[in-house]
């Protein structure tokens, strides 16, 4: 028999995607999982799910389960149950709207308060500065400020992204997966 038994490990990672309404969470997820972008805004109600399957290497298949959590405040009271068993989080803000960056701290506090790993370590959190394709980005949020913010608040890093132009979406997600694999 020429039957080769190859051991493939299949892993499921639950990742939360949070941030204020309209920053582009659904768009980033859709770009990553389906390769498409829509300019029309259809707000998320409650939570949505998306799955991305990656053949990481010859031994590992990764299922990224992305929990797309509504940014609108009025859904806030429902979220605690969504956070359970998450292994990482992505906080998204909109580079053209300074208040969405100011709200990053609120989302981070929320994540830190509701999710810890089994070993009591904080989950890795990645920051996405989305809509970098637009010209009217806020001057107050520059590269050095974001570097400093990540360092001060123990985030794994940040990327300027565009769901529209497909900038840094793959790169950011791969970076996050690498970090998750280091801890799990
Ligand atoms: P909620 O579901 O309400 O929390 O919003 P969201 O964070 O899921 O935002 P969504 O992905 O629905 O995007 C909001 C609007 O921004 C839509 O009109 C998108 O087309 C637009 N948008 C998202 N990402 C980008 C981007 O990278 N560049 C540009 N120019 N527009 C974007
Ligand atoms: Mg949405």
């Amino acid at each position: 028999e020429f039957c080769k038994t190859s051991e493939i490990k299949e892993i499921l990672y639950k990742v939360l995607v949070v941030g204020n309404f309209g920053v582009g969470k659904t768009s980033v997820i859709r770009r990553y999982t389906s390769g498409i972008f829509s300019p029309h805004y259809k707000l998320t109600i409650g939570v949505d799910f998306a799955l991305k399957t990656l053949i990481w290497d010859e031994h590992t298949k990764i299922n990224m389960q992305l929990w797309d959590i509504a940014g609108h405040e009025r859904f806030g009271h429902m979220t605690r149950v969504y956070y359970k068993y998450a292994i990482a989080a992505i906080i998204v803000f909109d580079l053209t709207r300074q208040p969405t960056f100011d709200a990053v701290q609120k989302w981070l506090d929320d994540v830190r308060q509701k999710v810890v790993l089994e070993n009591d370590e904080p989950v890795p959190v990645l920051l996405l500065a989305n809509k970098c394709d637009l010209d009217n980005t806020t001057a107050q949020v520059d590269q050095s400020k974001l570097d400093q913010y990540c360092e001060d608040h123990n985030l794994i890093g940040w990327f300027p992204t565009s769901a529209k132009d497909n900038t840094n979406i793959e790169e950011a997600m791969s970076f996050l997966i690498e970090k998750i694999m280091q801890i799990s």
Side-chain angles (χ1 to χ4, degrees):
E1 279 282 4
F2 295 100
C3 179
K4 191 171 151 240
T5 51
S6 57
E7 290 260 327
I8 296 182
K9 191 168 64 163
E10 191 162 344
I11 336 177
L12 178 72
Y13 291 143
K14 172 178 173 177
V15 176
L16 304 168
V17 183
V18 298
N20 274 19
F21 67 92
V23 296
K25 299 178 295 296
T26 301
S27 301
V28 166
I29 291 169
R30 195 169 290 167
R31 168 60 80 189
Y32 181 60
T33 59
S34 320
I36 52 170
F37 174 78
S38 163
H40 306 293
Y41 179 30
K42 184 171 169 286
L43 94 168
T44 305
I45 295 171
V47 66
D48 260 336
F49 308 93
L51 193 74
K52 170 100 170 176
T53 300
L54 300 131
I55 308 297
W56 191 253
D57 59 34
E58 70 247 61
H59 309 293
T60 327
K61 184 173 161 183
I62 298 175
N63 294 305
M64 290 284 280
Q65 189 186 61
L66 299 163
W67 286 54
D68 177 7
I69 293 168
H72 202 289
E73 231 117 28
R74 82 184 123 121
F75 306 118
H77 63 282
M78 298 197 289
T79 54
R80 185 175 279 273
V81 63
Y82 300 155
Y83 287 54
K84 221 172 176 183
Y85 306 121
I87 197 158
I90 299 170
I91 304 177
V92 186
F93 74 96
D94 176 345
L95 270 172
T96 69
R97 289 187 292 139
Q98 167 83 24
T100 68
F101 175 71
D102 301 333
V104 166
Q105 189 59 48
K106 186 195 86 154
W107 290 106
L108 181 62
D109 291 343
D110 204 41
V111 167
R112 293 272 188 251
Q113 197 193 328
K114 292 173 184 161
V115 210
V116 280
L117 299 174
E118 276 172 34
N119 58 6
D120 285 331
E121 289 288 317
V123 292
V125 178
L126 176 70
L127 184 61
L128 299 185
N130 193 40
K131 307 197 189 182
C132 70
D133 58 284
L134 296 175
D135 291 329
N136 56 327
T137 56
T138 169
Q140 276 118 335
V141 191
D142 63 9
Q143 192 164 335
S144 62
K145 182 164 178 175
L146 289 168
D147 287 342
Q148 193 62 53
Y149 186 83
C150 289
E151 202 178 312
D152 292 348
H153 296 89
N154 192 24
L155 303 192
I156 60 169
W158 70 278
F159 285 81
T161 57
S162 168
K164 181 167 180 262
D165 291 353
N166 196 15
T167 306
N168 277 338
I169 305 291
E170 285 281 343
E171 289 82 353
M173 298 305 292
S174 297
F175 177 77
L176 178 63
I177 294 168
E178 299 269 7
K179 295 287 175 186
I180 296 172
M181 292 185 84
Q182 285 168 18
I183 57 155
S184 58

